[in-house]
Amino acid sequence: MSDNDQDQERTEDATSRRREDAREKGQVARSTEIVSVGILVACVIYFYFGAAGLLKNIMELMTSGFRTAGQFNITPDSLHYLFIDYILKGFTILFPIMLTVVVAAILGNMLQIGVMFSTESVTPKFSKIDPIKGIERLFSLRSIVELIKNTFKICIVSAVAYVVVKDEISNMIILMDQSVWGMMTYFGRICFKIILATTIVLVILAILDYIYQRWEYEKSLRMTKQEIKDEYKNTEGDPLIKSRIRRLQREAAQKRMMAAVPKADVIITNPTHLAVAIQYDHENMMAPKVLAKGANIIAEKIKEIARENDIPIVEDKPLAQVLYKMVDVDQWIPEDLYRAVAEVLAFVYGQKKIKIFG
């Protein structure tokens, strides 16, 4: 990129090509707060409906362990068996919550960026271990914003927890008369209130963070006018080359069209500005066909070829204009123009003393 390109301001919205390239490299608008809050919300819902069952299973596992603790002979084999048994039982108890966390994390990412596979972010690069680059990232604007955001989040969560606990201090005096299970129930309820209030605050912060990440992402994708021009040249081709190709294609089409003019039965003119070459073979064609058409210089060239090949030239201004506008080269005449074209052909064949209508 030239110095002139670097000096230009990025004032243009990113093109679709730029967005596709960024997505292929793993660069998307993504907020980690959305994923974290999604996991937290999923866990809160799970514990609200399944905490009793989870606690019951854990207590049964502990009770069973304490009851059978004296029945085992301590040997390497028995310890190995006991360890594997408890690992499997613990995994069975915790599997639902682990599955909840995994599903919430996947959904949190998919809702933001959809389904995406990119190896660019995990490809080894020297810049990732370059200490100078690391220091630049450490003191970059993004790192400062993340530090401020995390500090603010901690302060907000701490304030919410303090407010909830402060309202419950007066109720803690009566805990002396409660059973152990009653105290555990009470503290569990307080913890759930803290988590619920914190979750609501974190959801709001996550939405704000996603809006910021989206804004920053769009800003990073913005392009200069020169970058848009360069991208257009790379994807669509140089406009000068494309213009030359189109001109050559038009010239080739005109040559083919002019080569077909000698096959025409009549040339219908404007009389000076338009010319349309018509062919009709009543034995092999279902309708008359336009072999060539043109305006101004091309029209004069068509009439010149017609004179060289003794093809009749008939002046019919309305019909020439309609045919020129409505019918393309190598297309059949529309049915609503049959009568007008047939009259011209009848006139031409009458001059040649060829009777084809009757």
Side-chain angles (χ1 to χ4, degrees):
M1 182 182 293
S2 65
D3 294 338
N4 186 36
D5 294 343
Q6 294 176 347
D7 293 338
Q8 293 184 22
E9 294 185 3
R10 298 181 179 274
T11 57
E12 307 302 314
D13 292 335
T15 61
S16 57
R17 178 62 180 174
R18 175 109 172 184
R19 295 180 185 278
E20 290 175 3
D21 290 342
R23 187 175 179 84
E24 290 175 359
K25 295 177 182 179
Q27 300 173 2
V28 290
R30 176 180 173 273
S31 171
T32 56
E33 300 298 327
I34 293 290
V35 180
S36 300
V37 170
I39 293 174
L40 181 59
V41 170
C43 289
V44 169
I45 295 174
Y46 175 82
F47 281 119
Y48 181 80
F49 292 102
L54 179 64
L55 182 60
K56 179 182 177 182
N57 291 332
I58 294 176
M59 292 181 66
E60 287 178 354
L61 179 62
M62 295 178 64
T63 302
S64 174
F66 288 133
R67 285 178 177 174
T68 59
Q71 300 177 6
F72 282 93
N73 294 322
I74 305 301
T75 63
D77 292 337
S78 64
L79 286 176
H80 180 266
Y81 170 78
L82 186 64
F83 178 76
I84 296 298
D85 183 57
Y86 273 88
I87 288 292
L88 292 177
K89 290 180 179 179
F91 178 79
T92 303
I93 294 173
L94 297 178
F95 177 76
I97 186 63
M98 291 189 292
L99 180 62
T100 300
V101 170
V102 172
V103 172
I106 293 174
L107 289 178
N109 282 289
M110 290 185 63
L111 289 175
Q112 294 183 83
I113 61 177
V115 180
M116 184 185 73
F117 299 96
S118 175
T119 59
E120 184 73 18
S121 58
V122 296
T123 302
K125 291 183 179 179
F126 177 75
S127 59
K128 294 181 179 179
I129 59 175
D130 185 356
I132 298 178
K133 294 287 186 182
I135 294 174
E136 290 178 356
R137 288 194 295 267
L138 184 63
F139 294 98
S140 64
L141 177 61
R142 184 181 184 88
S143 298
I144 295 174
V145 171
E146 289 294 324
L147 177 62
I148 295 174
K149 181 184 68 177
N150 291 329
T151 303
F152 178 74
K153 184 169 65 174
I154 291 173
C155 293
I156 291 293
V157 171
S158 300
V160 170
Y162 172 76
V163 171
V164 174
V165 173
K166 182 181 178 181
D167 293 339
E168 295 291 339
I169 289 179
S170 59
N171 298 326
M172 293 184 181
I173 300 176
I174 62 175
L175 290 179
M176 294 182 295
D177 299 327
Q178 298 292 325
S179 63
V180 174
W181 183 254
M183 287 189 290
M184 290 181 61
T185 303
Y186 176 79
F187 282 117
R189 182 172 59 84
I190 298 301
C191 291
F192 186 80
K193 286 179 65 175
I194 294 174
I195 293 174
L196 183 61
T198 302
T199 301
I200 295 173
V201 174
L202 291 180
V203 167
I204 297 173
L205 294 178
I207 294 173
L208 295 176
D209 181 68
Y210 178 76
I211 294 173
Y212 169 76
Q213 297 294 341
R214 190 75 190 180
W215 172 81
E216 187 181 56
Y217 174 72
E218 292 295 334
K219 182 181 177 182
S220 68
L221 290 182
R222 294 183 76 85
M223 306 170 67
T224 64
K225 290 183 172 61
Q226 185 60 42
E227 286 176 334
I228 291 179
K229 291 180 181 178
D230 293 341
E231 182 184 285
Y232 179 80
K233 288 182 180 180
N234 293 332
T235 55
E236 302 294 334
D238 193 321
L240 296 177
I241 296 177
K242 291 185 67 178
S243 176
R244 178 174 174 79
I245 292 174
R246 285 195 296 267
R247 181 171 59 83
L248 293 174
Q249 290 174 341
R250 286 196 300 268
E251 291 177 355
Q254 289 178 6
K255 288 181 180 179
R256 290 194 299 269
M257 184 177 68
M258 293 302 179
V261 172
K263 302 177 183 178
D265 293 301
V266 63
I267 308 297
I268 303 175
T269 65
N270 194 20
T272 57
H273 301 296
L274 300 176
V276 181
I278 303 295
Q279 180 190 26
Y280 179 62
D281 182 354
H282 68 282
E283 294 182 354
N284 300 315
M285 299 172 65
M286 62 180 183
K289 177 191 289 187
V290 173
L291 293 183
K293 67 176 183 177
N296 301 322
I297 297 176
I298 298 177
E300 292 298 327
K301 183 64 176 177
I302 292 174
K303 289 188 286 186
E304 180 182 341
I305 296 174
R307 295 188 190 100
E308 292 174 356
N309 291 271
D310 296 326
I311 300 173
I313 300 175
V314 176
E315 178 182 333
D316 191 329
K317 184 175 180 178
L319 182 58
Q321 291 177 342
V322 172
L323 290 173
Y324 183 81
K325 292 179 181 179
M326 293 182 56
V327 188
D328 292 331
V329 176
D330 287 332
Q331 285 193 349
W332 307 109
I333 300 296
E335 187 175 351
D336 54 350
L337 295 178
Y338 280 179
R339 183 178 182 83
V341 174
E343 291 177 354
V344 173
L345 290 172
F347 172 75
V348 170
Y349 291 141
Q351 286 186 331
K352 291 183 178 182
K353 297 181 179 180
I354 300 177
K355 186 177 180 180
I356 62 170
F357 297 90

